[in-house]
Amino acid sequence: MRETAIAHAPFFVTAPGESDVLFTVIVWFVVLAVFGAGALYLSLHALPERMAHHANHTQIQLISILTLLALFTHNNLFWLAALVIAVVQVPDFYGPIQSIAESVKAMARKKGAIDDSDGPSHSEPVTQEASKDV
């Protein structure tokens, strides 16, 4: 009866003293799956930081801090905030204002309201007529 039972045993049942091939394959599969899932989690977790780095975002330090907080606290709100900040581009307010200031300064120089000295002269008051033209 015993030899008949062994002959009809499934392929994954090993004989005494032999190595279990199925167990070895499953152990390697689980180890590789755990490392693969961890690598996928960390690469997905670093997505906002990579997006900000590739876009040369001005708030990259804030995004990095939020992603680290999300990693250590397991709070998804920090990661979501970092993703939103990385996706949304903050408009440049300083550039147009600087351009307007330079244009107004050039117009004032043409009218003679300011002189072309090296440094800014704050001691000279601006007259009413000069301020109307500017």
Side-chain angles (χ1 to χ4, degrees):
M1 182 75 164
R2 181 179 166 161
E3 270 127 47
T4 309
I6 292 175
H8 292 297
F11 72 95
F12 55 84
V13 176
T14 58
E18 293 182 10
S19 64
D20 193 356
V21 177
L22 183 64
F23 177 74
T24 307
V25 168
I26 295 298
V27 165
W28 278 108
F29 174 76
V30 168
V31 167
L32 291 175
V34 166
F35 278 116
L40 178 69
Y41 174 75
L42 289 177
S43 67
L44 181 65
H45 180 76
L47 181 68
E49 198 170 353
R50 281 187 282 140
M51 287 173 58
H53 182 69
H54 288 299
N56 200 13
H57 206 283
T58 57
Q59 302 290 336
I60 194 164
Q61 289 179 345
L62 176 66
I63 294 168
S64 300
I65 290 170
L66 285 173
T67 54
L68 281 176
L69 279 173
L71 178 66
F72 292 134
T73 63
H74 299 290
N75 192 347
N76 293 336
L77 231 96
F78 290 130
W79 186 83
L80 187 64
L83 185 65
V84 167
I85 292 172
V87 169
V88 174
Q89 289 290 334
V90 178
D92 181 23
F93 293 113
Y94 183 71
I97 291 174
Q98 184 69 24
S99 175
I100 291 169
E102 289 173 4
S103 299
V104 169
K105 188 187 270 186
M107 289 179 357
R109 279 194 188 114
K110 280 185 179 179
K111 298 281 185 178
I114 61 172
D115 59 349
D116 290 332
S117 63
D118 292 334
S121 175
H122 297 292
S123 61
E124 298 176 8
V126 178
T127 62
Q128 286 284 6
E129 187 175 316
S131 66
K132 285 181 188 175
D133 292 335
V134 175

